[in-house]
């Protein structure tokens, strides 16, 4: 039935790979252009400073060898040996031990969160081997935690936006009714209202900025960093880039040391969760932008009847919601409860409506409507976007027949 409908229906189902290939190529080209522009800018900003630092080091090295009559080759050997010792945790300044329990706990936190500062790394073969298996499970579990955190953030923000919308209606002298009630007379129903994905992105962005500014205030006072360096560290750590040039909580002693280390871990946890959620929402908006760009191109293979309607800051994908959602409904309604993995075509079709899925979840959560999910039957969580697609398929294949 699904194949007959696809054959006689919209061309979007006949050539899903063409659209996805076009989107992939466009995104790859834009990322390459973004990388080239970034490389040019950073090279212009940082290369002169690198050359000055290199020249200054040569001058200091020559002055030292002449002043103390030290053999330059022997000095180079000593410096290389120090670099090896530095990799093992030996520093000129007094720092806390890297591999006591607190240092090891900080290390495993950077591993499972995928930050990986690089200051502390295992030196033994046993440690490196254990890290492979430890990181495999730990990173996967943490990514799942971040996805579940995003799902709960979406739920909370949907309730907040609904409350704000109802309050605005009351201030306007209009009584708001839910979608389950019958609106009468001048009452305004909430059935047509949808919380905007862009408001979610804005709220997550503001929350990330607030956390980063608060953490930077703490780091600038405790680590003696400038405020700009502290903001830089917050972004590098929260986005899990983790260069390792600046790392917090590395000195052996601090004022109010226990409180500071607790606050440091708390800020990093909250910051990583917020930035991860923000990245996920931004990626959905980027995909929608790619769809818009492809729709403007003359060689676009989009469905001729497909259109995107923008209402009140939210996006409704009309063609996708009518055709792709119909196909997805047949897949996820239990029509196919076979044991095979999700096919590439199903994943491609489902990924087209990731923005619509997030918008739908926002709307259903705000209206407290019933959510069609197998999660209540077998314990799986619905998730958001690509996570929802995999979870729905897992739910589908785990239902008792």
């Amino acid at each position: 039935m699904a194949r007959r409908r696809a054959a006689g229906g919209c061309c979007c189902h006949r050539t899903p790979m063409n659209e996805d290939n076009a989107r992939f190529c466009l995104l790859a080209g834009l990322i390459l252009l973004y990388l080239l522009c970034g490389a040019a800018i950073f090279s212009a900003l940082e290369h002169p400073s690198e050359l000055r630092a290199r020249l200054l080091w040569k001058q200091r090295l020559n002055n030292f060898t002449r002043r103390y009559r030290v053999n330059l080759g022997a000095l180079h050997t000593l410096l290389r040996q120090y670099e090896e010792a530095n990799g093992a945790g030996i520093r000129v300044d007094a720092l806390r031990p890297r591999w006591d329990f607190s240092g090891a706990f900080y290390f495993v936190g950077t591993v499972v969160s995928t930050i990986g500062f690089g200051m502390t790394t295992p030196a033994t073969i046993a440690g490196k081997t254990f890290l492979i298996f430890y990181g495999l499970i730990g990173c996967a579990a943490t990514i799942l935690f971040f996805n579940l955190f995003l799902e709960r953030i979406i739920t909370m923000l949907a309730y907040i936006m609904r409350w704000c919308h109802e309050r605005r209606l009351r201030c306007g002298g209009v009584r708001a009714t839910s979608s389950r009630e019958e609106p009468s007379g001048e009452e305004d129903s909430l059935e047509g209202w949808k919380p905007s994905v862009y408001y979610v992105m804005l709220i997550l962005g503001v929350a990330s900025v607030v956390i980063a500014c608060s953490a930077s205030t703490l780091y600038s006072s405790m680590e003696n960093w400038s405020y700009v360096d502290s903001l830089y560290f917050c972004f590098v750590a929260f986005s899990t880039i983790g260069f390792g040039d600046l790392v917090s909580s590395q000195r052996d002693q601090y004022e109010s040391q226990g409180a500071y280390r607790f606050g440091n871990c708390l800020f990093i946890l909250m910051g990583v969760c917020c930035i991860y959620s923000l990245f996920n929402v931004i990626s959905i908006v980027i995909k929608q932008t790619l769809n818009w760009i492809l729709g403007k191109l003359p060689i676009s293979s989009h469905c001729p009847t497909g259109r995107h309607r923008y209402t009140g800051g939210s996006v409704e994908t009309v063609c996708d919601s009518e055709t792709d959602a119909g196909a997805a409904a047949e897949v996820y309604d239990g029509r196919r409860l076979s044991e095979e993995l999700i096919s590439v075509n199903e994943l491609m079709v489902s990924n087209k409506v990731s923005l619509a899925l997030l918008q739908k979840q926002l709307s259903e959560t705000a209206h407290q409507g019933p959510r069609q999910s197998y999660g209540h039957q077998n314990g799986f969580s619905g998730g958001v976007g690509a996570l929802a697609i995999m979870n729905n398929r897992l739910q589908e294949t785990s239902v008792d027949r």
Side-chain angles (χ1 to χ4, degrees):
M1 176 180 177
R3 293 183 179 178
R4 289 196 300 269
R5 180 180 301 178
C10 177
C11 63
C12 292
H13 293 291
R14 290 199 299 269
T15 58
M17 292 298 294
N18 291 339
E19 295 181 7
D20 290 300
N21 287 336
R23 187 184 298 111
F24 172 79
C25 293
L26 176 61
L27 181 59
L30 291 177
I31 290 177
L32 178 60
L33 180 62
Y34 194 75
L35 293 174
L36 293 174
C37 292
I41 293 174
F42 279 111
S43 179
L45 292 175
E46 299 295 334
H47 190 57
S49 177
E50 179 189 15
L51 294 178
R52 290 193 298 269
R54 187 183 299 273
L55 180 60
L56 179 61
W57 169 248
K58 288 183 178 180
Q59 292 176 351
R60 289 178 174 175
L61 197 62
N62 292 330
N63 292 336
F64 183 85
T65 54
R66 286 197 303 266
R67 186 173 186 178
Y68 296 100
R69 297 180 181 180
V70 177
N71 182 270
L72 185 60
L75 182 58
H76 280 160
T77 301
L78 177 63
L79 291 175
R80 280 194 295 269
Q81 292 173 349
Y82 174 73
E83 288 179 352
E84 295 176 358
N86 189 29
I90 306 301
R91 295 293 180 96
V92 174
D93 299 327
L95 300 178
R96 74 178 189 186
R98 290 188 176 185
W99 291 109
D100 62 354
F101 184 80
S102 61
F105 185 81
Y106 192 85
F107 166 74
V108 296
T110 63
V111 169
V112 300
S113 62
T114 70
I115 295 177
F117 286 123
M119 283 194 65
T120 303
T121 55
T124 63
I125 296 178
K128 293 177 181 178
T129 304
F130 177 71
L131 175 64
I132 295 174
F133 298 98
Y134 185 84
L136 182 65
I137 298 175
C139 293
T142 306
I143 291 174
L144 175 62
F145 170 79
F146 288 155
N147 280 287
L148 297 178
F149 177 85
L150 172 61
E151 184 179 358
R152 279 144 185 80
I153 282 290
I154 294 297
T155 302
M156 181 187 69
L157 294 181
Y159 282 126
I160 293 175
M161 287 188 288
R162 174 189 170 91
W163 178 82
C164 293
H165 183 72
E166 290 178 341
R167 183 178 178 85
R168 185 174 57 187
L169 291 179
R170 292 194 197 99
C171 293
V174 180
R175 189 173 78 86
T177 60
S178 66
S179 58
R180 299 179 183 179
E181 301 177 2
E182 292 293 334
S184 60
E186 297 180 354
E187 295 175 356
D188 187 12
S189 173
L190 288 172
E191 185 175 1
W193 172 78
K194 293 184 178 180
S196 172
V197 175
Y198 301 103
Y199 287 152
V200 175
M201 183 174 65
L202 177 62
I203 294 172
L204 287 174
V206 171
S208 301
V209 170
V210 170
I211 293 175
C213 291
S214 302
S216 298
T217 303
L218 175 67
Y219 294 139
S220 60
S221 61
M222 299 298 293
E223 301 287 351
N224 295 324
W225 297 339
S226 68
Y227 196 78
V228 174
D229 284 344
S230 300
L231 283 174
Y232 162 79
F233 166 77
C234 287
F235 176 77
V236 170
F238 296 169
S239 61
T240 70
I241 296 175
F243 289 127
D245 50 347
L246 293 175
V247 181
S248 61
S249 189
Q250 292 300 301
R251 295 208 305 264
D252 190 37
Q253 292 293 331
Y254 291 92
E255 295 182 6
S256 304
Q257 181 166 299
Y260 170 63
R261 288 184 175 173
F262 174 77
N264 177 46
C265 293
L266 185 62
F267 273 126
I268 290 180
L269 177 63
M270 292 190 303
V272 169
C273 288
C274 284
I275 291 293
Y276 178 86
S277 302
L278 181 62
F279 283 170
N280 273 272
V281 177
I282 291 177
S283 67
I284 295 174
V285 176
I286 290 176
K287 177 180 283 189
Q288 190 69 18
T289 304
L290 292 176
N291 291 336
W292 179 83
I293 294 175
L294 289 175
K296 295 296 183 180
L297 295 177
I299 59 174
S300 174
S301 60
H302 276 261
C303 172
T305 59
R307 59 197 183 278
H308 302 287
R309 182 167 68 246
Y310 297 83
T311 57
S314 63
V315 179
E316 299 178 24
T317 311
V318 179
C319 175
D320 288 347
S321 62
E322 293 174 355
T323 56
D324 291 337
E330 290 184 348
V331 175
Y332 297 136
D333 281 346
R335 179 180 58 83
R336 296 173 54 205
L337 298 180
S338 58
E339 297 298 327
E340 79 275 13
L341 294 177
I342 183 170
S343 68
V344 175
N345 286 338
E346 288 169 356
L347 183 61
M348 293 290 187
V349 171
S350 300
N351 270 332
K352 290 180 185 178
V353 291
S354 56
L355 180 63
L357 287 174
L358 181 53
Q359 184 70 69
K360 185 171 181 253
Q361 180 174 345
L362 280 170
S363 181
E364 288 181 352
T365 304
H367 291 296
Q368 302 180 12
R371 297 178 60 182
Q372 300 298 328
S373 173
Y374 292 104
H376 302 291
Q377 301 177 16
N378 57 24
F380 284 104
S381 175
V384 176
L387 181 68
I389 298 167
M390 288 189 293
N391 282 340
N392 283 335
R393 189 56 177 171
L394 288 172
Q395 295 158 7
E396 181 181 308
T397 56
S398 63
V399 173
D400 294 332
R401 290 183 283 178

